[in-house]
Amino acid sequence: MIETRVAVVLGGSGGIGRAVAERLAGDGMSVMVHYAGNAARADEVVKAITSAGGSAAAARADIADPAQVEQLFTETEQQFGGVDVVVNTAGIMLLSPLTELSLDDFDTMHRTNVRGTFVVSQQAAQRLRRGGALINFSSTVVKLALENYTAYAATKGAVDAMTLILAKELRGRDVTVNAVAPGPTATPLFLDGKPQAVVDHLTAMSPLERLGRPEDIAETVAFLAGPARWVNGQIIYTNGGII
């Protein structure tokens, strides 16, 4: 009997996270859809998956709170029998020149993007079954070095470092650890507050002359979550050729 694989998708209630949850469910995995505050959106994702014949549930947690993240993983194990794939798409982006960004905004991003990734990675390292995969989320902006992205890029640089080192620390576990680094992708997180001229400029940067779509990113995640057992300790730039 082939055991159904189980995925936890952090930030799975919208944007890239929703596309990832639905893609992994379509690949036959049971999916725990994590959300931070919007239960209705998470329920919509669960309904979409189950209506298509998949298996899913939703659970809330503050990803920077170790006790809540531990409970999230416990609920997943109790409901689905284990954890095989962890995808941490949860993140926030606050843009400003370095000299104008408030330390409160910096700390807010750091708490979610860095501490949250650290806390989720700790639980994933303890809970993932053999043959499992942890997939963190970085950003192409770390290499692009765009103005106004200083603090956000710094948080994602920290994600890169954690990902590369944890892959080595899990030696002997048969668990892969990678990060996906999207380029400009048409999600509310990316589009919010940007003038159309900026969006047009970022669109034109890709040789494919379009923004990424959540489904493009989900395809890369599905590769890392399933067949890519020899890809480990890598940052996968999924950006249409911007860099």
Side-chain angles (χ1 to χ4, degrees):
M1 179 178 177
I2 298 176
E3 191 174 58
T4 299
R5 299 185 82 212
V6 179
V8 180
V9 180
L10 290 302
S13 64
I16 291 172
R18 175 169 185 163
V20 167
E22 293 182 353
R23 173 60 188 266
L24 296 183
D27 288 347
M29 297 188 195
S30 295
V31 179
M32 179 61 81
V33 178
H34 158 268
Y35 66 96
N38 195 327
R41 284 203 317 172
D43 289 342
E44 286 177 9
V45 180
V46 171
K47 184 176 180 180
I49 290 172
T50 56
S51 295
S55 173
R60 181 189 179 282
D62 172 357
I63 68 166
D65 184 316
Q68 292 187 33
V69 174
E70 181 178 6
Q71 180 59 31
L72 171 68
F73 276 76
T74 297
E75 288 180 30
T76 303
E77 290 175 337
Q78 291 173 345
Q79 180 139 358
F80 297 119
V83 179
D84 301 286
V85 175
V86 175
V87 187
N88 188 11
T89 74
I92 58 175
M93 180 168 60
L94 303 172
L95 303 182
S96 169
L98 183 148
T99 56
E100 298 173 17
L101 184 74
S102 75
L103 285 177
D104 285 345
D105 283 350
F106 180 86
D107 289 343
T108 296
M109 272 196 294
H110 191 278
R111 186 178 190 279
T112 297
N113 297 357
V114 181
R115 179 186 167 107
T117 298
F118 188 90
V119 170
V120 169
S121 295
Q122 279 191 324
Q123 281 298 312
Q126 296 170 27
R127 306 286 192 117
L128 281 166
R129 295 187 285 202
R130 294 189 68 83
L134 168 60
I135 302 158
N136 287 322
F137 261 67
S138 179
S139 173
T140 293
V141 78
V142 175
K143 284 194 173 182
L144 284 176
L146 296 176
E147 294 176 357
N148 299 321
Y149 284 82
T150 311
Y152 176 73
T155 68
K156 293 305 185 177
V159 171
D160 288 358
M162 284 188 278
T163 299
L164 299 178
I165 295 171
L166 182 57
K168 296 181 178 180
E169 292 179 345
L170 294 186
R171 174 183 293 274
R173 288 280 307 281
D174 190 23
V175 169
T176 61
V177 184
N178 296 288
V180 175
T185 305
T187 66
L189 176 69
F190 170 76
L191 295 172
D192 185 39
K194 286 187 174 66
Q196 188 60 44
V198 173
V199 174
D200 291 343
H201 172 70
L202 292 170
T203 300
M205 289 176 69
S206 168
L208 300 180
E209 297 186 326
R210 67 171 175 86
L211 294 176
R213 305 183 186 101
E215 294 75 17
D216 296 321
I217 312 307
E219 184 173 29
T220 301
V221 172
F223 173 66
L224 294 173
R229 298 308 303 165
W230 198 236
V231 180
N232 190 28
Q234 304 298 317
I235 313 301
I236 309 297
Y237 289 88
T238 309
N239 56 35
I242 287 178
I243 57 171

